[in-house]
Amino acid sequence: MNKSSPIILALDTKDLDTAKSWISATNAAISIYKVGLEFFLKFGAAGIAELASAGDFEIFLDLKLHDIPNTVAGAVSSVAHLKPRFLTVHASGGSEMISAASTAAPAISITAVTILTSLSDGDVAQIGFAKGAKESAINLAKIATQNGARSIVCSPFEASDIRSAVGSTIEIITPGVRPLGGDLGDQKRVMTPHEAIKAGANFLVIGRPISDLAKISLSAMSDGAAEILDSLN
Ligand code: C5P
């Protein structure tokens, strides 16, 4: 594994063997893999244990928890034995919920998701936020980090403002990155990996720009991950 790599590969697949093959193919360039609801609801903790045989890496457990503080604390305790490097909660769950999550597993970096990048300013207004997406994301990042969150997920377009608001010790993680000329898929506003790091991101969540290469071959996937890592230097 490459411990200094800022790339987090999203294991967006329902197939355990596919996930393992992606890890083996990319582990030289990547040391953190994101397991989301699609994988976790199907395979659970046992699935994460199975992945361990595919390489040497840490887990970003993307469960986006959002419930009353007591329930979220219980959920965090239930997955704490998996020792994820990052575990996501929705920042909009509020200060008490974030604090309960952080207290339940002090060794885990509780990672607050601010405003989903799939939401427009119109969506954010419709839900009832008084401010637009960017200002709301900055506000949520402040509340989250004041209550124990040690990392933030946000759009690369919010990264520099959130960096100014939360300081240098908080880790900022951004999805929505595409290499130059990469297929956008359903992502609307994207930055290149290099631009996102320059904007203040510590880590980049990347899915299809790397995982789609497995449709060509696992060695193409391996090369693709290495190329994106090289583009950051
Ligand atoms: O394939 P792609 O690079 O778009 O995948 C990005 C990953 O980041 C997916 O797992 C997606 O669910 C996740 N994500 C995102 N936007 C957010 C939060 C998470 O794209 N706001």
Side-chain angles (χ1 to χ4, degrees):
M1 81 168 175
N2 183 330
K3 277 205 166 167
S4 62
S5 170
I7 303 172
I8 300 173
L9 178 65
L11 297 176
D12 289 331
T13 170
K14 290 186 185 64
D15 186 73
L16 192 52
D17 287 333
T18 299
K20 285 162 84 172
S21 71
W22 289 0
I23 293 171
S24 315
T26 59
N27 205 193
I30 295 175
S31 63
I32 305 175
Y33 293 88
K34 182 171 90 78
V35 170
L37 290 170
E38 180 178 351
F39 184 95
F40 195 73
L41 292 179
K42 186 160 180 200
F43 299 110
I48 292 194
E50 282 257 354
L51 293 180
S53 65
D56 183 16
F57 57 90
E58 294 180 299
I59 290 285
F60 178 118
L61 192 51
D62 191 15
L63 301 184
K64 295 193 177 71
L65 300 172
H66 190 168
D67 209 316
I68 60 171
N70 187 54
T71 301
V72 166
V76 170
S77 304
S78 290
V79 294
H81 69 286
L82 297 171
K83 298 191 168 59
R85 164 90 179 261
F86 300 105
L87 171 61
T88 55
V89 302
H90 273 290
S92 53
S95 52
E96 259 190 67
M97 188 204 82
I98 295 160
S99 175
S102 309
T103 307
I108 298 173
S109 184
I110 295 297
T111 303
V113 176
T114 53
I115 298 283
L116 294 172
T117 49
S118 52
L119 297 178
S120 66
D121 280 333
D123 297 324
V124 168
Q126 187 186 43
I127 294 167
F129 282 89
K131 305 268 171 62
K134 188 173 197 168
E135 269 188 81
S136 299
I138 296 167
N139 193 37
L140 286 166
K142 279 194 213 158
I143 293 170
T145 53
Q146 283 160 4
N147 286 282
R150 301 212 298 267
S151 34
I152 293 292
V153 175
C154 64
S155 154
F157 291 90
E158 291 149 6
S160 74
D161 287 316
I162 287 185
R163 171 64 67 211
S164 306
V166 301
S168 58
T169 58
I170 299 297
E171 294 184 304
I172 294 181
I173 304 167
T174 63
V177 289
R178 289 287 179 270
L180 266 186
D183 187 354
L184 296 194
D186 53 0
Q187 299 283 9
K188 295 192 179 94
R189 296 192 311 137
V190 300
M191 280 192 190
T192 66
H194 189 248
E195 287 168 339
I197 295 282
K198 264 179 53 190
N202 301 95
F203 293 96
L204 313 171
V205 174
I206 304 182
R208 290 160 293 180
I210 294 174
S211 58
D212 276 353
L213 295 170
K215 293 174 192 159
I216 303 169
S217 69
L218 288 172
S219 80
M221 184 184 203
S222 179
D223 292 347
E227 246 172 64
I228 293 180
L229 184 59
D230 281 349
S231 76
L232 298 174
N233 296 319

